[in-house]
Structure formats: structure tokens, C-alpha cells
Amino acid sequence: MAERYVIRGGRPLRGNVTVSGSKNAALYAVAAVLLTAEPVTLRNVPRIADIAEMAEILRAVGTHVQVEDNGETVHYHTPEVTSVAPPADLVTKLRASFLVMGALLGRTGEAECPPPGGDVIGSRPLDVHFVGFKALGATVERREHTYRVQATRLRGDRIFFDYPSVLGTVNVMFAAVLADGVTTIINAAPEPEVEMAANMLMAMGAKIRGHGTPTVEIEGVPTLHGVDFSIIPDRLEAGTYLLAGCATHGDVRVTNAVPRHLDSLVAKLREMGMDVTAEEASGIRARSTGELRATNVQAVPYPGFATDLHPPMAAALTQAAGMSLVHERVYDNRTLYAAQLRKLGARIIVGGDAATPEDLAELGRMDAGIRIGSGSVIIEGPAHLVGTTVRALDIRAGAAVVVAGLAAEGETVIEDIGHLDRGYADLQARLAALGAEIQRV
Ligand code: EPU
């Protein structure tokens, strides 16, 4: 029988937690390893399923991977690329696998990959990646089951992105670091994980300016060398523990969180009435001071509120007095978690088709003239949540049911926890250290 988490909720979480290295940043760093023939050591790598999957993909194209006993230090070495077409069954397991396209294109001038997998949270096109590869002089061919990119020589150019795609920015950076001349990405993703990927490339000898801003300039160099590099802390994992503390009226400190990566969450926690201190040296502490207040959230690209924290934020808002609105502006199908929260007793309505007059009447706010667009949710709180069986539909929808389960009275059983294993290292131990009653059965 598949494993589940069983949570006995209703008690405040209190204490300190240290989060892992960032899942997404680590995935970018692992792909970056392909850009050099020299050995690379990565430290503070999270012990999660996605990193192990990514290592399998690298092995399939010629990388030697050796994980140290602590699981968090990993050595990679790709003296020679032995294949430019990783197996489809590996690539389709996770979205970040598509970064081997840019890395192999940069290193060898060609790559072939099927469309990548990833969470079902909306349409996830790849046009930005291809616009970038083509601007650098590559041809992009759609074959029956794969995309093939090829270039005899890559040349820098000015590239405009319609949307500041995170993986798109990293993929094009990978192809550009070894190209001739200067590449300028306009409307690049400024996320801290993208900034870190650029910092790693620079530590390998790349010349990059403006990373962490919407305009990134990359001056090509002939080769990159090896590096010993440490992954930044996971802001999404940190945010999830702070929200679990919030939802349970607790007092949680995330010791190694980087406050400037979490400005948007800190602001929202304060609006909800939490007492938050955020300092580089001591991390972020969010302490309940009494009743939580409702607030509004817009999930947008960084430095706005992170879409990946939308589901656990919604779970915390079920405990806040009044009506909250969460407006999702990154993904068109992020709100599937709402039905799971409703099973626990949350009063939450999804916009678009689901927002019938009956739904709004149920909230008792028909006459308030509320209009909610698709992708938005309205939450009426505080709701008395009662444990039942729910599913982790993707990584962050999983975080939402964990947060809600911790706030709920009685026993919450969470199914499909493989999704949580993909993104949250040692979730049970970390929550237990904060005083949660959680078992993996
Ligand atoms: N988009 C385009 N064209 C493109 C690419 C994307 O229009 O070519 C649109 C998508 O339709 C979507 C939006 O851009 O609406 C966001 O996509 P983006 O490309 O920025 O996301 P991603 O790079 O595929 C990464 C993270 C996600 C995170 C997003 C947004 C990884 C492996 N994934 O995905 O993380 O939600 O950035 O910050 O880094 C997660 O960790 O749970 C997760 C899903």
C-alpha cells in the first residue's frame, strides 16, 4: 500500500527549523554541470526525489555522479558528453530536465529532448526557450516525439522574452555562456534561483551582468572550468514552514532563510497579524499574536508573491478572520488544491466556471457584488477544519493540505505523498521538531 502522512492537528507549531538547499536552484546547478569537462562539487543539495531523477538524466548523457554519505554533497564530472539525447522516460518525469537542452547545446552544439514533464498546474509552453535558442543561431526542429536543437556556432544577440520564464531564462543563459559575443536577455526572470545559477556560472568562469534583474547580459567565453559551489536555502520550503506556524497560531523561526528572498511573504504575514522579525543573521521568525486577519494576495513573478506559496498561503488564510482573495497570475490551473481544502471544512470558492451564484451565496456575500476571475480563490475564515483523507495533488497542493491538516482538529490522512517527497526533504522530521504530530505510514 502506498505511503501516507497521518497528521493529528490542532496544536501550535513552535521552534526552529533549518531548511534544505533550494530544490529549483539545485536542479539548475545540476544541469549547469554539463557545461564543463572539469569536476564540479555541489554542497547543500536537498535530499529529494527530483535531484535523484536529475542525476539519472545526467548519467545518461555521460556524467559521473557520486553522492557523499551526508546526501547533501554531490560530485559530478562529465569529461565527455556521450549522448545528446537523454531517454524520454527520464526527461518526462520532471520539468527541469529540459535544461539539458540549453546546457548540451552550449557544450556540444546539439541536443534532443521530448517535452518535459512537471506538475499539472496549467499550460506550460516552451516558446520562450525556443525564441532564445533561435536568436543565438540554433535551428529548432519539432520531431515526432522530441525537439531537436542544433547549431554549428552560437552567436550572442539581443533577445526579448514575451514572459519572464524562469527555466527559459536559465536555458538561454546556459546556451549563451559559451557563445561568441554578447547576449542580452530582456524581460529575464529575476528569481533568486536564476540569480544563483548565474553566480555559479560566473564561479566557473562565465561573464554575466545584471543577473537577478530583468535585463541579463552574458559575454561568451571559450570554456568553463570546475567549481565547488553551495546551493542557496529554499525560500519556498522556508515559506511553507512559516505558513504552517501561522495557520496553527504558533511561533516558528526558519534559521537560515534569506529575508530578502521572502519580502512578499513577510509583508503578507504581517498583514495577517503575525509578529515577524527578519534578519540576515537569525533568519525569519513569525509569531502569532492572537486572531489572524484576512488579506489579499496576488501570485506573480518575483519579487511579487511566489505562485508556489499560493496553495499553502490559501491554507493559512482559512484560519484568518474575514474574506481573503488569492489571485493567481502565473498558472491557469493552480487552484485544484481548493477542493481538498474544502474536504477539510475550508470555505473556499474558485473563480471562473466554479464561481456560481450558489457558491457566492454560500459565502453569504452575494450582495457585496463580488466578481472573481478564473484562477482566483475567495476564502472565508476562520473555518473550523476537521481532519479527513485528502490528496497531495502536486508539490505545492501537497503543502496546502499539510498546512491545513496541521491546523485541523483530529486526524488528517494525506495520500499521494510522492509529490511532497519531490520537493520537501525530511518533511516529517522537520515538522515533528516543531511539535507536530505527524507519521509516515
Ligand atoms: N510561459 C510561457 N512561455 C514559456 C514558458 C513559460 O508563456 O516559454 C508561462 C507559463 O505558461 C506559465 C509561466 O510562464 O504561465 C511560468 O512559467 P515559467 O517558465 O516561469 O516556470 P518554469 O520555469 O517552468 C519554474 C519552477 C516552478 C515555478 C515557476 C514559477 C522549476 C523546476 N520550476 O517553472 O516551480 O512555479 O518557475 O516561479 O524551477 C515547484 O517548485 O513546485 C514549481 C512548479
Side-chain angles (χ1 to χ4, degrees), residues 246-249 269 272-274 288 290-294 316 319-322 382:
C246 171
T248 58
H249 299 272
L269 289 172
M272 292 172 75
M274 298 290 286
S288 162
E291 195 182 64
L292 293 169
R293 293 190 295 269
Q319 300 309 297

Side-chain angles (χ1 to χ4, degrees), residues 127-190:
D127 51 295
V128 162
H129 304 239
F130 296 133
V131 162
F133 294 152
K134 284 181 189 162
L136 294 172
T139 55
V140 178
E141 193 191 328
R142 179 74 164 108
R143 297 194 165 174
E144 196 183 346
H145 299 295
T146 59
Y147 293 104
R148 185 180 159 74
V149 291
Q150 199 266 328
T152 38
R153 234 171 109 187
L154 293 168
R155 276 198 199 83
D157 200 352
R158 283 180 78 79
I159 306 171
F160 170 70
F161 281 179
D162 278 338
Y163 186 94
S165 162
V166 172
L167 287 175
T169 303
V170 179
N171 233 343
V172 174
M173 264 189 343
F174 284 172
V177 279
L178 294 171
D180 293 338
V182 176
T183 300
T184 306
I185 306 176
I186 297 138
N187 201 22

Side-chain angles (χ1 to χ4, degrees), residues 5-132:
Y5 280 126
V6 179
I7 296 175
R8 287 200 74 82
R11 50 164 73 188
L13 297 194
R14 292 185 198 284
N16 291 326
V17 63
T18 302
V19 296
S20 311
S22 155
K23 166 181 86 81
N24 290 345
L27 289 167
Y28 313 160
V30 175
V33 157
L34 289 172
L35 286 160
T36 178
E38 294 186 11
V40 173
T41 296
L42 295 179
R43 300 182 192 274
N44 201 32
V45 176
R47 291 183 299 247
I48 51 172
D50 272 15
I51 292 291
E53 305 281 8
M54 197 69 176
E56 283 315 302
I57 293 169
L58 261 68
R59 285 192 174 105
V61 300
T63 309
H64 308 289
V65 183
Q66 189 215 329
V67 185
E68 284 196 11
D69 290 343
N70 67 11
E72 293 184 346
T73 303
V74 188
H75 306 283
Y76 303 86
H77 189 196
T78 322
E80 227 181 303
V81 172
T82 53
S83 161
V84 292
D89 58 327
L90 294 178
V91 173
T92 48
K93 282 189 180 167
L94 74 166
R95 184 137 183 110
S97 63
F98 206 61
L99 292 178
V100 300
M101 284 295 251
L104 290 174
L105 179 63
R107 170 100 179 252
T108 71
E110 57 179 329
E112 186 165 344
C113 255
D119 294 326
V120 185
I121 46 186
S123 60
R124 301 181 78 180
L126 297 163
D127 51 295
V128 162
H129 304 239
F130 296 133
V131 162

Side-chain angles (χ1 to χ4, degrees), residues 300-338:
V300 290
Y302 188 83
F305 192 89
T307 174
D308 294 314
L309 289 177
H310 158 173
M313 179 55 150
L317 287 170
T318 66
Q319 300 309 297
M323 185 151 51
S324 298
L325 179 89
V326 183
H327 186 35
E328 171 65 42
R329 295 173 61 182
V330 177
Y331 292 116
D332 50 25
N333 199 19
R334 173 118 256 182
T335 52
L336 294 178
Y337 70 86

